[in-house]
Amino acid sequence: MQKNDVCMSIELPYKLYKADAGGFKFKLLPKKELHEHDCQPAFHLISKDCPHNSLYEIKLDFENRRLYITTGEGVATNFALPNELMGSEEKDMWLSYYNEDILLGMGNKTFFVYPRNITGGNSADQFIGYIKFETNYGFEWIVREAPQVYNTPSVSIAINETENLHWLALDQDQNLPKNALIGGFENTPLYIARAMYSGSLCPGKYVPEEKKAYVPWGGRSHEKSNFQILCGHNADWILCKDDNIPENAFIAGTSEIHNEPLYIGRSFVDYNLIVGKVHMLYTSCYLPFNGDEVQVNEYEILVDLSVKPKGIPCRGKCKVNLTCKDISCI
């Protein structure tokens, strides 16, 4: 049997994970009994709008010591495969795509930077929301399933995906809690904050580089230096429209009038994933961005997975079972 026949005869499924916080952490484990030329591990970055739409394929070619990234339009770019990825030991790797670039690396070293707009087209214009790993003969992907798994040279987080949501104030040195929940990205990752403003306990965003939070209120984005950060990972993001709030939406604050509940929402604004507040009274999500309060009617809302709803919230127009082991559904 030829080596290609060996690869094709092993019909292992793909593994698909939701990954819309701008990055992912995973491990690559080559099987020690195999040689570099046996098979080539690859993974795909998938459109957030539909998990059947592959935007990029990233393939590690150990035989030729090259790394290939190919767009959904078939435009291929290659990079030299670094020495750190050679050998049979387990590799802890990270991938980030929260900005206009795709980066791959290990530890504090970045292996390549791929500008998404270098080729243009459909792949560059769409947002990445899923990652799909090919499981083939010779390599094993070890992935941690969680609402977010993120790692870059400047951010390294140990995830406990069953830890319930809770609020923590920053210490005097403004150190970000290790279990802080990433909510989006605006050049760099954004976290979820809440602060008092004009009588409202208002959810908003925290920008680590500025060590400040911003909350939307009254048509403007307001800077805050006294705030709390949302921590824990037993949560998920659900597509939402108008005031169709899921039963287990996480209550994050209150309004200044009648203390109506405020929830956490997020949406894309100018290619940034911004976190803000959802107010049922106005059937909208409000986002702090560039000094303004941006209003959107279609958004994602944060739900608390420790609360079991009686109904089944809608997850969007494209139905997919992320835990399915059947290759035919991808």
Side-chain angles (χ1 to χ4, degrees):
M1 184 179 291
Q2 300 296 320
K3 66 177 183 180
N4 290 338
D5 295 333
V6 173
C7 293
M8 294 302 295
S9 66
I10 307 298
E11 296 182 357
L12 297 178
Y14 292 111
K15 294 180 180 179
L16 180 68
Y17 299 88
K18 186 177 181 181
D20 57 2
F24 215 79
K25 181 180 179 182
F26 56 91
K27 295 180 180 180
L28 175 63
L29 179 61
K31 299 300 178 68
K32 294 183 179 180
E33 67 272 14
L34 295 176
H35 300 290
E36 295 171 356
H37 61 268
D38 282 308
C39 285
Q40 300 172 351
F43 56 91
H44 300 257
L45 304 181
I46 310 296
S47 168
K48 182 178 176 63
D49 292 334
C50 176
H52 304 89
N53 183 12
S54 178
L55 303 180
Y56 300 94
E57 179 195 60
I58 300 176
K59 180 181 293 185
L60 283 62
D61 184 347
F62 287 97
E63 182 176 6
N64 297 306
R65 299 179 69 95
R66 305 298 295 178
L67 186 149
Y68 294 91
I69 179 167
T70 305
T71 71
E73 293 81 18
V75 179
T77 306
N78 69 88
F79 303 84
L81 198 65
N83 292 330
E84 290 88 343
L85 289 180
M86 306 304 294
S88 59
E89 69 278 1
E90 183 177 285
K91 284 98 174 157
D92 287 294
M93 304 174 65
W94 55 262
L95 173 78
S96 71
Y97 42 86
Y98 57 81
N99 204 345
E100 295 180 355
D101 298 330
I102 297 174
L103 296 84
L104 181 72
M106 290 175 58
N108 293 322
K109 185 171 183 179
T110 300
F111 295 149
F112 76 84
V113 178
Y114 177 86
R116 293 188 62 189
N117 60 4
I118 194 171
T119 58
N122 180 65
S123 295
D125 292 336
Q126 294 199 40
F127 295 103
I128 297 169
Y130 298 88
I131 185 169
K132 181 176 73 174
F133 291 92
E134 292 184 8
T135 56
N136 55 21
Y137 190 78
F139 294 89
E140 180 182 358
W141 299 104
I142 302 175
V143 181
R144 192 194 304 249
E145 282 190 83
Q148 66 155 15
V149 183
Y150 189 85
N151 192 24
T152 71
S154 61
V155 181
S156 181
I157 302 173
I159 299 290
N160 176 4
E161 53 259 28
T162 61
E163 183 181 15
N164 288 337
L165 296 173
H166 59 284
W167 296 96
L168 288 178
L170 296 192
D171 59 30
Q172 292 181 350
D173 295 325
Q174 297 288 289
N175 291 322
L176 189 69
K178 293 183 178 179
N179 56 348
L181 178 65
I182 295 174
F185 49 87
E186 186 177 359
N187 297 319
T188 58
L190 295 177
Y191 295 82
I192 302 167
R194 69 176 183 180
M196 293 298 302
Y197 188 85
S198 192
S200 171
L201 181 56
C202 188
K205 68 182 181 182
Y206 172 65
V207 183
E209 287 71 21
E210 301 178 19
K211 297 185 181 299
K212 295 177 181 178
Y214 296 87
V215 297
W217 194 94
R220 301 293 297 169
S221 172
H222 302 277
E223 178 184 308
K224 302 294 292 184
S225 56
N226 185 16
F227 52 89
Q228 293 177 311
I229 295 292
L230 185 62
C231 302
H233 294 88
N234 193 18
D236 200 0
W237 295 95
I238 299 296
L239 288 174
C240 216
K241 184 177 181 180
D242 299 328
D243 60 351
N244 297 316
I245 305 296
E247 295 177 68
N248 56 342
F250 181 68
I251 298 177
T254 55
S255 70
E256 67 278 8
I257 302 176
H258 304 308
N259 292 323
E260 296 111 343
L262 299 179
Y263 305 92
I264 298 168
R266 69 179 185 181
S267 186
F268 287 105
V269 182
D270 292 344
Y271 289 88
N272 300 281
L273 185 56
I274 306 299
V275 182
K277 69 179 181 182
V278 175
H279 197 323
M280 287 186 63
L281 182 63
Y282 302 108
T283 67
S284 298
C285 177
Y286 298 90
L287 309 169
F289 183 71
N290 280 353
D292 294 325
E293 180 185 49
V294 179
Q295 179 179 350
V296 295
N297 294 323
E298 295 187 14
Y299 52 92
E300 288 183 310
I301 194 168
L302 188 70
V303 297
D304 184 351
L305 295 183
S306 69
V307 178
K308 304 302 179 184
K310 297 179 181 179
I312 302 176
C314 176
R315 297 188 62 87
K317 59 185 178 182
C318 187
K319 306 299 182 181
V320 63
N321 180 2
L322 297 183
T323 62
C324 181
K325 303 303 181 182
D326 181 8
I327 190 175
S328 64
C329 74
I330 303 305

